[in-house]
Amino acid sequence: CGQQFQERDLSRHEAESCHHRLVPCRNQCGARVVHSEIRDGLHVTTLCPNRVEECSLKCGKRIMAKDQEEHALECPNRPGFCPYNCPTLGITAGSLEDHVFECPWRGVDCPLGCRAAGVRSTDLDEHCLSHTYMEGNSRSPEVFGMANSDLMRHLVIQSRPEAHHRTPAPVAKWQVGSP
């Protein structure tokens, strides 16, 4: 280390005060580190497997570096994939349940009761406007007592997830006849 002292003090210096002496890593990984680097040296800040870091997926948890890969398999911020293969970006495993319920590509039943299951929710307006009959009657939506715009507004509101408070409502049967 370059310090000068009497020989009788050498072993004490090496064991207690030399900045170049080896000491156990403060993170208890088993490595021996030069004393002068114990606080912010390369081993402690970059190489030590027991150093604590922020989650690499930015979930906010602090994790030992050696556990990052295992955590990434369970992290709520890991990538999630829409089962409807929609093009929505940024879906995470933690947001997937909400996304599936609100996905614009999810299949919904026709609210007019035509038994067309799995109509893509983004296509629902067009699907409902294409109706030319209801329960065997060749009539347009005006027959139900609503103008097209009112009917579509009602159908769109009923098809929104928030209209059902996370529980899909039963399909209403429209009555043919006067309002």
Side-chain angles (χ1 to χ4, degrees):
C1 71
Q3 285 192 357
Q4 294 184 359
F5 42 85
Q6 294 183 359
E7 188 175 335
R8 68 174 186 247
D9 296 327
L10 177 61
S11 58
R12 182 175 169 189
H13 169 75
E14 288 175 342
E16 297 175 14
S17 61
C18 181
H19 293 294
H20 293 283
R21 73 184 182 279
L22 295 178
V23 295
C25 171
R26 69 178 180 169
N27 295 330
Q28 301 174 350
C29 71
R32 296 189 51 80
V33 183
V34 175
H35 181 267
S36 61
E37 295 186 6
I38 196 66
R39 290 200 181 268
D40 57 3
L42 182 64
H43 173 79
V44 174
T45 60
T46 308
L47 302 175
C48 181
N50 288 356
R51 72 187 181 282
V52 178
E53 308 176 313
E54 295 286 329
C55 166
S56 60
L57 297 173
K58 310 291 186 224
C59 76
K61 286 191 175 181
R62 295 186 50 78
I63 304 154
M64 284 188 181
K66 68 182 180 184
D67 297 331
Q68 283 281 0
E69 285 184 36
E70 182 180 333
H71 171 73
L73 298 174
E74 302 168 356
C75 181
N77 283 358
R78 71 186 182 279
F81 300 97
C82 177
Y84 306 118
N85 294 318
C86 77
T88 303
L89 299 175
I91 299 171
T92 64
S95 68
L96 186 58
E97 184 177 337
D98 288 337
H99 170 78
V100 167
F101 191 79
E102 299 166 353
C103 179
W105 285 22
R106 74 188 185 287
V108 294
D109 293 335
C110 173
L112 295 177
C114 75
R115 296 188 180 95
V119 176
R120 191 179 278 180
S121 64
T122 55
D123 299 334
L124 189 60
D125 292 350
E126 186 177 328
H127 171 82
C128 290
L129 286 175
S130 71
H131 272 274
T132 56
Y133 65 93
M134 178 63 181
E135 296 179 3
N137 296 307
S138 296
R139 301 195 179 163
S140 65
E142 288 91 358
V143 173
F144 305 129
M146 296 182 179
N148 271 339
S149 61
D150 291 336
L151 175 64
M152 286 313 301
R153 192 171 17 261
H154 174 75
L155 294 176
V156 168
I157 289 170
Q158 290 303 310
S159 69
R160 290 184 182 146
E162 59 271 16
H164 304 293
H165 303 287
R166 294 264 192 250
T167 305
V171 175
K173 294 291 182 184
W174 291 88
Q175 294 183 359
V176 177
S178 60

